[in-house]
Amino acid sequence: MSVIFNLFNSIAFERTASKIVETFFDSIVASVVKALYRSSGESLQSITRLTHLPSKQVLQALVSLIQHNLASFEYTPQRQVHYRLNKANIFYLLRKNKYIHHVREKLGVAAELVVERVLEEGSITASQVIVCTTCKLLMTDLSSAVDRANQNPGDRHIIVRDALRQLIELGYLERCASPSSPAPPCCPLLVKPSSDDKHRFLPDDHLNLQLIAQAVTENVETSSSSSGAILPDASSFPDGKIYWRLNYDAFHLQWRDTLLVTSVEKNVGAEVGLVFRGLLQVAYSTVEDKWQSGVYTTAAHVKHALNSAPHLEHCLQLLGEGESGGCVRRIGVGGGGGEYQIEVAQLVAHITAEFLAKRIKEMFGSKAARVFRLVMRNHIVSADMIASACLLDKKEADQVSNMLFLNQILLVHDLRKASMPSSHTPELLFFKVNFLEVVRLTASQCFTELYNLLRKRELLTEKNRSLMEKKTRVDAIVDNIVKSGATQEQIQDIEEMLTDAERTAVTKWLKQQDQILTVVSGITDDIFLFELFSRYYCHVDDLSVGRSAA
Amino acid sequence: MAGRGRGQTRLKMLESMGVERSEMSQPLDRPKGEAAAKGDLTPSSVYPPLKFQPLPLPPSTTETDYCLTLLKLDMERMRSSKYAVKKEKQQAELERYSDRYRLTVAEDHPQLVVDWTRFPRELNPSYIRKSKKRKISKPDQKSRQKKVKLAGETDEQMEERLKELEKKEKEGGAEVKEELEDEEDEDKDNKEEEDEIEDEDEELDEGTDYAQQYFDNGEQYDDADDDGNDDGGYY
């Protein structure tokens, strides 16, 4: 029996998805998301009927969703337009800060601003993003972070152009599909560019740098630093039909590698972690699809690339053992040296099992984690075996296993009853773990926690709205009088408009908001692990997945 | 009766796990021992007590602080951007029937401007307006055709008249033109007369016919008493 495990298609994510969209876009767009969630495609009329909203607002909401790649549309054979959600992309809204920070660490401030603008608009042309980013650099104090020595300040748009080119070459930005032919109605976002499409990469002949420089000058004169750069009209540039958006997979692949290497380093050692990282890099050079589970590379290739690594053979041997997940196997040992196979899926399952055990330890204690690991390792475990293997009293073992059973982590294995029941036969109780169900349950708990946190933040924001508005007004007045050269007494008088109790309340609310968003950030990291698991185990035939991982 | 059926198996299972019968139906936070003996009637807590407290949050670093600031700014920026669809402001006065059809956009909220070639045509607001205009124009054409028919002519008669007019234009084009010019002159004269009449009326009425019907400026009264004495009064 094959079980389909799709993380973002679950009912647990439905409420969370509309709450995430409401946090970023407001309630009208969230209503449209809610109407689209459970269907595979809805027309405009049915969305208007389901949401009970004016048609103008539904149109604007759909445009916002499509622009940010949260929804897509397709034409049916009856030439009607059907809209559907891209559910995973809704969750990625919460990770925008991580994408921006990742690019800042790797490529610098200019690339960070480019990605920030791309995320803000959803899809944008190259000229538009260069103009807006250059304006922001000129209007804010970030230009000093970008300027290099002996660089002409008027060439900042060239620096931004180079950053954009780097992002495209590394795969962080991808081109939006363009319509192949104008005659029949075709969805421009579903058509993939052909392999001989000369616009696949950033074409220099489509970028008019003079026009861009002129637009930058005009934009700086008209816009202010508080409102930000005004988005220029795309049709006024030669590349007005070539749109770019963020490629989430490129980021996720690098984060996956970091997660795998960190896990190996933590379980075995730093040296082994370095060897594993090198092994992955060597394997990627021979493999086309870096996401595939079984990644192969020859032993000769590995020894040639990692010649400088100390104790290479010993590290490779440790990588094949259980502590590191047993993900690296040597195949075909012989005259040719053989091959090394990296089972990424197995390592992901191992990390997931460790995560679940850690979560159970936090919620129910170390004894519960011990019982969980024991039942995971063995297929079916009796109550007596739990007590003896986990070094617990019989009563304590029964209580712990009962608690795990009540929380649906352990399942009771039904035994076939004897044909002749007698009073002398003892009643035995056996426990087992359905790893997939435990992962699904934990993921749905994470989504529920996320919803609760966002809802709490929303309620506290509403409660403290008037207070925050008052604080904003007082700060604005103080800034104005400081600029006009006021004395300290005058500044103090203005600041006293906000009482001490109000100031304490504002500080408390800001601290609460930071705590809530820190936990939200942590939960998104946890859900990334489940995302990886669902990518490799979306169709599970063998329900004993994870048994060897523990 | 209570000990049979499914309940029996469940009770036995719980007993085999070490749960005593007395503990099966009691809430966890009910006071026990001396407090129970004293008759403590305080209400139970809303949430069950946690046996294991959650771990403290990790200490903040520059990296986490930066990510946190980015997230907060992003949430605020997206809510105030053109992509956040705002509800239309409702008037605080009496609800009127025309409010349903009057559209008021939230003030200071930027308009949504995108490249409409990348979206289905039905999402483009200007596309919807054009189709409404076409619908409105059709009834006017029909009413014009009806006016022509109501003059007493059928379609055949109208076609015959048009053919005759074409012949006349070819044969004696000047006469027809003169006729048309005469008609135009008559129309102009009529319009001028109407204008003159309107002007006179305006001078007299100032918009109303109050002067004609009600107002008496006393001119007739003064004329009747006029004896030619122009010296005026002595006071």
Side-chain angles (χ1 to χ4, degrees):
Chain A
M1 186 186 69
S2 176
V3 177
I4 297 172
F5 177 46
N6 194 332
L7 189 69
F8 295 116
N9 248 350
S10 57
I11 294 169
F13 183 58
E14 182 180 353
R15 221 170 39 147
T16 313
S18 68
K19 186 51 72 181
I20 291 171
V21 170
E22 190 177 343
T23 306
F24 283 90
F25 290 98
D26 223 334
S27 55
I28 293 171
V29 184
S31 310
V32 173
V33 163
K34 212 171 172 180
L36 283 173
Y37 192 89
R38 290 202 185 188
S39 70
S40 57
E42 292 282 353
S43 64
L44 179 63
Q45 288 79 20
S46 56
I47 295 170
T48 313
R49 199 172 51 243
L50 286 168
T51 53
H52 303 290
L53 288 169
S55 59
K56 189 183 175 188
Q57 289 179 353
V58 174
L59 296 182
Q60 288 177 346
L62 283 170
V63 167
S64 296
L65 289 172
I66 294 171
Q67 178 73 12
H68 283 82
N69 307 307
L70 303 178
S72 56
F73 62 94
E74 61 183 1
Y75 289 90
T76 59
Q78 291 84 24
R79 297 175 73 92
Q80 277 186 342
V81 185
H82 273 206
Y83 303 91
R84 63 165 189 267
L85 276 185
N86 298 336
K87 292 166 189 167
N89 290 359
I90 292 175
F91 184 75
Y92 299 157
L93 287 173
L94 286 175
R95 282 198 199 133
K96 277 190 190 178
N97 56 337
K98 295 199 169 123
Y99 299 131
I100 294 168
H101 184 255
H102 180 90
V103 166
R104 184 191 170 99
E105 294 284 299
K106 296 274 179 190
L107 300 172
V109 173
E112 177 201 0
L113 292 176
V114 166
V115 167
E116 194 178 348
R117 193 71 205 202
V118 171
L119 284 169
E120 192 179 324
E121 297 296 330
S123 356
I124 193 170
T125 62
S127 301
Q128 282 178 318
V129 76
I130 292 170
V131 167
C132 292
T133 309
T134 314
C135 288
K136 190 164 182 180
L137 279 174
L138 290 170
M139 287 192 293
T140 59
D141 296 333
L142 293 168
S143 56
S144 57
V146 170
D147 269 342
R148 299 167 204 164
N150 302 324
Q151 185 82 26
N152 188 358
D155 291 344
R156 285 207 183 91
H157 60 288
I158 295 177
I159 297 171
V160 174
R161 192 271 314 263
D162 294 339
L164 180 65
R165 189 199 298 277
Q166 222 177 349
L167 284 166
I168 293 168
E169 282 169 4
L170 290 173
Y172 290 122
L173 289 180
E174 63 179 3
R175 188 177 153 187
C176 295
S178 58
S180 56
S181 63
C186 58
C187 169
L189 294 179
L190 287 184
V191 173
K192 289 180 186 174
S194 57
S195 57
D196 58 351
D197 191 353
K198 64 178 179 177
H199 302 311
R200 193 173 181 81
F201 298 99
L202 188 61
D204 279 330
D205 56 341
H206 273 63
L207 278 185
N208 188 337
L209 290 175
Q210 281 179 357
L211 208 60
I212 288 170
Q214 195 182 344
V216 166
T217 315
E218 285 168 9
N219 212 324
V220 167
E221 284 166 8
T222 49
S223 55
S224 63
S225 60
S226 58
S227 61
I230 301 167
L231 189 73
D233 186 21
S235 56
S236 55
F237 298 99
D239 66 331
K241 295 293 174 193
I242 304 171
Y243 282 81
W244 301 89
R245 64 181 179 202
L246 208 71
N247 179 15
Y248 298 113
D249 265 357
F251 292 90
H252 297 164
L253 186 71
Q254 298 206 359
W255 292 350
R256 181 201 73 169
D257 293 345
T258 309
L259 184 71
L260 299 178
V261 169
T262 312
S263 163
V264 168
E265 276 177 4
K266 205 167 67 169
N267 288 334
V268 192
E271 266 188 38
V272 181
L274 279 173
V275 167
F276 183 69
R277 189 191 288 276
L279 202 62
L280 277 174
Q281 295 301 324
V282 168
Y284 287 159
S285 59
T286 55
V287 158
E288 209 175 289
D289 181 15
K290 293 177 185 173
W291 276 106
Q292 68 187 48
S293 171
V295 184
Y296 295 86
T297 182
T298 59
H301 205 170
V302 169
K303 280 172 187 167
H304 177 70
L306 300 175
N307 202 12
S308 58
H311 316 294
L312 178 63
E313 285 293 335
H314 184 57
C315 291
L316 289 171
Q317 192 185 348
L318 283 172
L319 282 169
E321 287 175 6
E323 277 188 19
S324 63
C327 54
V328 177
R329 287 193 301 152
R330 187 140 183 199
I331 304 167
V333 180
E339 281 185 343
Y340 284 102
Q341 179 189 1
I342 305 169
E343 284 291 341
V344 177
Q346 194 173 333
L347 186 54
V348 165
H350 173 79
I351 295 170
T352 311
E354 282 296 316
F355 171 80
L356 290 175
K358 189 178 156 191
R359 188 178 160 93
I360 289 168
K361 183 181 170 184
E362 285 176 13
M363 288 170 69
F364 305 113
S366 57
K367 291 172 187 170
R370 230 185 293 164
V371 168
F372 174 73
R373 283 201 186 95
L374 175 72
V375 178
M376 272 279 294
R377 208 174 297 130
N378 306 295
H379 182 47
I380 297 172
V381 176
S382 68
D384 296 331
M385 202 156 113
I386 289 174
S388 59
C390 297
L391 305 173
L392 300 169
D393 298 334
K394 177 88 175 51
K395 189 174 176 184
E396 202 175 5
D398 289 340
Q399 279 179 349
V400 168
S401 47
N402 176 37
M403 187 169 53
L404 291 176
F405 168 71
L406 287 174
N407 285 280
Q408 299 173 11
I409 294 167
L410 293 186
L411 297 174
V412 171
H413 182 73
D414 294 325
L415 282 179
R416 223 180 251 183
K417 288 183 182 173
S419 55
M420 296 292 292
S422 80
S423 59
H424 298 292
T425 50
E427 291 212 8
L428 293 173
L429 208 58
F430 291 91
F431 294 102
K432 63 181 179 182
V433 166
N434 187 340
F435 188 67
L436 199 64
E437 281 304 315
V438 176
V439 172
R440 206 201 300 262
L441 178 75
T442 314
S444 68
Q445 282 175 353
C446 286
F447 288 137
T448 308
E449 285 163 17
L450 207 55
Y451 173 83
N452 290 341
L453 286 166
L454 291 174
R455 179 77 179 127
K456 185 173 180 181
R457 182 182 168 271
E458 187 186 327
L459 289 171
L460 288 173
T461 307
E462 202 52 48
K463 186 181 164 190
N464 294 292
R465 184 183 295 281
S466 56
L467 202 60
M468 291 306 294
E469 279 171 3
K470 189 177 178 183
K471 185 181 181 305
T472 312
R473 265 185 274 126
V474 167
D475 290 343
I477 295 167
V478 166
D479 285 340
N480 281 335
I481 62 171
V482 162
K483 280 177 190 171
S484 60
T487 60
Q488 195 60 34
E489 286 177 2
Q490 286 172 331
I491 295 169
Q492 209 168 354
D493 287 337
I494 300 294
E495 282 179 353
E496 279 172 5
M497 282 168 64
L498 209 60
T499 60
D500 286 340
E502 285 173 342
R503 237 176 253 287
T504 313
V506 164
T507 313
K508 187 184 169 189
W509 153 234
L510 290 173
K511 195 179 169 187
Q512 269 180 322
Q513 187 180 218
D514 287 347
Q515 283 177 343
I516 289 170
L517 292 178
T518 305
V519 179
V520 163
S521 189
I523 293 176
T524 53
D525 290 339
D526 296 341
I527 291 176
F528 178 68
L529 180 58
F530 297 131
E531 239 180 283
L532 287 180
F533 184 83
S534 70
R535 188 186 269 261
Y536 290 111
Y537 295 99
C538 55
H539 283 89
V540 180
D541 291 322
D542 182 8
L543 291 178
S544 63
V545 163
R547 200 184 310 151
S548 58
Chain B
M1 294 291 285
R4 297 184 185 177
R6 288 184 189 173
Q8 189 181 17
T9 314
R10 185 171 165 268
L11 282 170
K12 280 198 176 177
M13 193 167 68
L14 289 172
E15 272 183 352
S16 64
M17 285 183 189
V19 181
E20 294 175 11
R21 277 190 181 251
S22 58
E23 290 174 0
M24 276 179 201
S25 57
Q26 279 184 8
L28 291 169
D29 57 350
R30 186 166 284 188
K32 296 173 186 175
E34 290 181 3
K38 285 176 188 175
D40 193 2
L41 298 174
T42 53
S44 56
S45 57
V46 176
Y47 298 104
L50 281 178
K51 203 173 176 185
F52 299 97
Q53 293 297 324
L55 291 177
L57 289 175
S60 63
T61 58
T62 47
E63 186 186 323
T64 53
D65 285 344
Y66 186 72
C67 288
L68 200 63
T69 313
L70 276 177
L71 184 62
K72 276 193 285 188
L73 285 174
D74 188 47
M75 282 177 175
E76 285 165 14
R77 192 168 47 213
M78 290 302 291
R79 286 292 286 250
S80 58
S81 73
K82 59 186 177 184
Y83 298 111
V85 182
K86 297 290 180 191
K87 283 181 189 173
E88 290 156 0
K89 276 186 183 175
Q90 289 180 355
Q91 292 177 358
E93 298 170 1
L94 287 173
E95 195 178 355
R96 297 173 192 274
Y97 177 78
S98 59
D99 286 343
R100 218 181 293 172
Y101 304 101
R102 194 178 301 154
L103 297 176
T104 54
V105 184
E107 293 172 0
D108 298 333
H109 192 65
Q111 294 293 318
L112 184 61
V113 176
V114 292
D115 183 3
W116 294 108
T117 56
R118 299 176 69 237
F119 297 89
R121 277 192 295 179
E122 62 180 13
L123 294 184
N124 190 347
S126 58
Y127 172 70
I128 291 168
R129 276 184 219 140
K130 277 179 190 172
S131 64
K132 276 186 184 171
K133 275 186 186 172
R134 282 179 205 153
K135 283 179 190 174
I136 289 164
S137 64
K138 279 179 187 174
D140 287 339
Q141 289 178 3
K142 283 182 187 174
S143 63
R144 279 179 203 156
Q145 286 175 5
K146 277 185 185 172
K147 279 181 187 173
V148 171
K149 284 183 183 174
L150 285 170
E153 282 184 342
T154 60
D155 290 338
E156 291 172 356
Q157 287 175 353
M158 193 174 66
E159 285 177 6
E160 283 176 6
R161 188 163 69 85
L162 285 171
K163 282 178 187 173
E164 283 170 10
L165 282 171
E166 280 176 9
K167 280 181 190 173
K168 280 183 185 174
E169 279 180 10
K170 285 174 188 175
E171 288 168 6
E175 290 177 2
V176 172
K177 279 182 186 175
E178 282 176 7
E179 284 177 5
L180 287 171
E181 283 173 2
D182 289 335
E183 285 176 2
E184 284 175 5
D185 289 335
E186 282 176 8
D187 288 334
K188 276 183 188 173
D189 291 336
N190 288 334
K191 279 183 186 173
E192 284 171 3
E193 284 175 6
E194 285 174 2
D195 291 337
E196 285 171 4
I197 291 164
E198 284 175 3
D199 291 334
E200 286 172 7
D201 289 341
E202 280 174 6
E203 285 172 4
L204 286 172
D205 295 342
E206 296 177 1
T208 62
D209 55 357
Y210 173 74
Q212 284 181 348
Q213 291 184 14
Y214 301 104
F215 179 67
D216 183 8
N217 58 1
E219 286 177 357
Q220 291 171 5
Y221 179 76
D222 287 337
D223 290 337
D225 294 337
D226 190 11
D227 294 331
N229 193 0
D230 293 329
D231 292 335
Y234 290 95
Y235 302 96

